Structure formats: C-alpha cells, structure tokens
Amino acid sequence: MKTWTSEHVFDHPRETIKTAAMQKYPNPMNASVAGVDVLDRHIDPSGKLHSHRLSTEWELLTANIPLTNMVSVDETFIYKPHPQAPETIVLTQGPTITNKGVSPSSNLEGLMASMVSSNANKGQEAMEQATH
C-alpha cells in the first residue's frame, strides 16, 4: 500500500473554490475524464454538500473504477480555510493505493502513484483556471 499527500493553496473565496471543484471535470488538461454524471446531490443538516457521481463519489472521497481487480485508488480531498489566511482555501489531497494480488515486482503501485500525482496537479491547475 502506498499513500502520499499534497497541499495546494487557492487564493480565492470559498464559494469560488466550491464552484470550481464541482466543475473540475471534464477539463482539457486531463483527457482521461470525458464526463461526470451526477446521480444525487444534497446538503446534509451540518451544511456539507454531498454529490454522488457515476464512477466517483465526490465530496471528500473518490474511488477510481478501472483496474479494481488489480489495484484500488481511494483519494481524499479536504478543503478548509488556511490557518494564517482564512480568506484562502487549502486543499489537502492524497490517495491510498492498494495492490490486490499483483506481483510487487510489477511496481503497479508506484506507477499508479505517479499517475495520480500527475493528475492531481492537472486537477489543481484546472480549478485555478476555472476561478478566472
């Protein structure tokens, strides 16, 4: 199992980041996501937005569907105000990559970690562009 986290600071108001996160896919920087279908969306009593999408469950957890019989990738996204600059938002994200029986010498976990890291950067860039 491999895990890593990264942080990105968005110098934009919370509402702008919330809108950008919901419009993150599809985007021209990550052609592997052609579209996302929303199955259900609601706000719970505490004010948290829950959005259930086809192939992903979005709010704080994303599960990638392809290759699930060989490897799973569960990704967590946490958006919160920056402790020193509450008008900005810090995104902390990170996947947990679990090998499901593929030979450790195949380095599938390492390959997936590299792909997820690259896509994370593309997603952050797409959100930054959506805020302008």
Side-chain angles (χ1 to χ4, degrees):
M1 179 167 49
K2 285 190 180 277
T3 60
W4 60 264
T5 59
S6 70
E7 284 191 351
H8 181 80
V9 176
F10 292 100
D11 191 17
H12 306 285
R14 178 181 178 176
E15 289 300 315
T16 302
I17 296 306
K18 185 169 48 171
T19 300
M22 295 306 297
Q23 297 174 350
K24 183 175 169 182
Y25 295 111
N27 70 66
M29 285 156 268
N30 190 346
S32 65
V33 180
V36 177
D37 294 322
V38 177
L39 302 177
D40 178 53
R41 183 175 290 154
H42 69 278
I43 298 175
D44 71 17
S46 71
K48 289 182 182 177
L49 173 67
H50 297 266
S51 183
H52 297 272
R53 297 178 178 194
L54 186 63
S55 81
T56 65
E57 181 179 309
W58 187 90
E59 198 216 340
L60 297 179
L61 177 67
T62 299
N64 293 323
I65 302 301
L67 303 175
T68 55
N69 61 333
M70 297 188 320
V71 65
S72 68
V73 180
D74 294 316
E75 196 165 9
T76 303
F77 299 83
I78 300 170
Y79 297 88
K80 61 184 176 183
H82 192 288
Q84 283 80 41
E87 67 282 358
T88 64
I89 300 297
V90 177
L91 163 61
T92 303
Q93 72 183 95
T96 299
I97 302 166
T98 306
N99 184 335
K100 293 184 172 183
V102 176
S103 167
S105 65
S106 73
N107 196 25
L108 186 56
E109 287 179 350
L111 176 63
M112 293 301 291
S114 177
M115 288 173 43
V116 170
S117 176
S118 174
N119 287 339
N121 292 334
K122 291 175 188 176
Q124 293 163 5
E125 187 177 336
M127 287 180 59
E128 283 288 359
Q129 286 188 2
T131 62
H132 298 284

